[in-house]
Amino acid sequence: MFVDRAEITIVSGKGGNGAVTFRRDPYVPDGGPDGGDGGDGGSVIFVADRNLRTLMDFKYKRKYQAENGQDGMKRKRYGKKGQDLYIKVPVGTLIIDKESGLLMKDLCNDGDELVAAKGGRGGRGNVHYKSSIRQAPNFAEAGGFAKEREVILELKLIADVGLLGFPNVGKSTLLSVCTNSRPKIAGYHFTTIDPNLGVVYLHDTSFVMADIAGIIEGAAQGAGLGFKFLKHIERTKVLIHVVDVSGSEGRDPVEDYRKIMAELEQYDPKLLKKPQIVAANKMDIVTDQDKLDEFMKLMEEEGRKVFPISAATRQGITELLNETLHEIETYEEPDEEPVQMFDFEADEYDADYKKISAYVDEDGAFVLEGKHLTKIFNSTNFTDSGSIRYLYNYIEKNGGMKLLFDLGLKEGDTVRIKDFEFEYTEE
């Protein structure tokens, strides 16, 4: 089953906590601090792998989490870094941040990587908090938070050549005779419901050809296979427009051609600027010469290169492939409009990280909140007066106490941080 879009949740690893330990040497106050730092949390990294063809694995597993960092240890030993989580995706996968809708990276080459969620930094051990007035710090820094985000994975096939055309015009047959691909072929519409890829070997070189599921009128608005078809031709260099000119099924080649061109224009006018070769297929069973002549006249008026072929009998295939190779070799990438990308620097820098907010909840408790406050709070040892004093000084220095007094805090009131409650005293 071919799956070309998925939404998943990724979570990086939390940083390990710094250790609170002391040496047991004589003549050293409390043995002296020797708590080591916690290890950094693992990151979530996407990797493009050319051996993958679909995003089906993400249909069954929706959450991916990297390993947490290990806590620090005594004797200044660092905690082990959390193992990074590598997620393999097919080449051509776009990684999109769901919240902002911005592109994080287009993994268009084999081996391309993206660190989509960076692991939390390991906390510092109590050895870093020793000073001339604090000889035996009984607290350490908590590890950094894990990063969680929802991302959209969208696969757009990477092929040199894309085959255009209505269902049952012979695209799959053409692919099978030009490449080593063996798509399902049958005498009914929508035999192909998923893209097929094959490699064409010609004149000591090769290129990738894609037979993408046939479209119907209204595909640009999502009818039928809709976007599932159209988006996969965006990356192609050359388009081969396969038209059934035989009239064997009562089709009108002129009408078919115009409908396909209209769908391309409605979806993305830039697709009309791609080199396009017209393959007039099923020439071996033409039943309406007038319609064929009308079609050829239209192609001449539009300046299209037309190659009469029969995919079933291989008539004209060599000439078609030679022209296709020429178009690929002379293809020049058009100038693309710049795409607004996800800003990782802005994502890492949080201007409100040290901001403290306060409010009175429905129970009358005065609540303090803040991202950095939470980290400091997690680092506090409530059995140690120095550690508690460090927390209070942080709150006062960053305006927390002023916020509480402005809300009407008085002696005996309850102050809550996270799930912990304290009674305020003026001593």
Side-chain angles (χ1 to χ4, degrees), residues 76-288:
K76 301 180 183 179
R77 289 181 295 172
Y78 287 82
K80 179 182 176 183
K81 180 185 181 301
Q83 188 171 1
D84 292 333
L85 176 62
Y86 288 87
I87 303 176
K88 293 183 178 181
V89 295
V91 174
T93 301
L94 282 70
I95 313 297
I96 302 168
D97 176 62
K98 184 177 180 180
E99 182 178 3
S100 65
L102 298 178
L103 176 64
M104 302 175 76
K105 190 169 183 178
D106 182 356
L107 303 178
C108 56
N109 298 299
D110 184 40
D112 282 355
E113 293 188 358
L114 168 68
V115 180
K118 193 174 181 180
R121 194 182 69 177
R124 294 176 295 176
N126 68 336
V127 68
H128 295 280
Y129 294 94
K130 180 181 178 181
S131 66
S132 58
I133 58 174
R134 189 190 299 120
Q135 293 293 316
N138 201 22
F139 60 93
E141 184 182 23
F145 300 113
K147 184 74 176 180
E148 178 174 344
R149 63 162 42 101
E150 292 183 320
V151 297
I152 299 171
L153 309 180
E154 185 170 303
L155 174 60
K156 292 184 180 180
L157 294 180
I158 295 181
D160 300 298
V161 180
L163 301 180
L164 289 175
F166 273 96
N168 211 35
V169 296
K171 299 188 304 299
S172 296
T173 303
L174 179 59
L175 180 72
S176 68
V177 301
C178 294
T179 73
N180 55 359
S181 177
R182 294 294 176 265
K184 180 182 178 182
I185 300 172
Y188 55 85
H189 295 298
F190 296 107
T191 306
T192 305
I193 59 174
D194 294 321
N196 287 309
L197 293 176
V199 180
V200 178
Y201 295 96
L202 188 68
H203 306 314
D204 297 324
T205 187
S206 63
F207 56 88
V208 178
M209 180 182 287
D211 164 27
I212 305 170
I215 60 172
I216 61 174
E217 194 170 6
Q221 285 76 44
L225 298 172
F227 300 124
K228 185 170 182 176
F229 163 80
L230 290 165
K231 70 179 180 182
H232 288 296
I233 65 176
E234 293 180 16
R235 297 183 191 270
T236 57
K237 298 176 182 177
V238 180
L239 301 176
I240 297 179
H241 193 156
V242 184
V243 182
D244 179 358
V245 296
S246 70
S248 61
E249 295 188 8
R251 303 198 71 94
D252 185 334
V254 171
E255 184 180 348
D256 284 359
Y257 171 81
R258 285 175 171 162
K259 284 181 178 179
I260 292 289
M261 297 300 287
E263 293 302 327
L264 294 183
E265 184 174 19
Q266 289 180 48
Y267 179 75
D268 187 349
K270 295 196 293 289
L271 296 178
L272 297 180
K273 298 179 181 179
K274 290 181 178 289
Q276 186 176 139
I277 303 168
V278 177
N281 193 27
K282 302 188 182 182
M283 287 293 294
D284 57 321
I285 54 172
V286 172
T287 60
D288 192 331

Side-chain angles (χ1 to χ4, degrees), residues 16-38:
N17 298 321
V20 179
T21 59
F22 298 91
R23 290 167 19 216
R24 298 305 177 189
D25 300 341
Y27 312 112
V28 177
D30 288 331
D34 73 345
D37 297 348

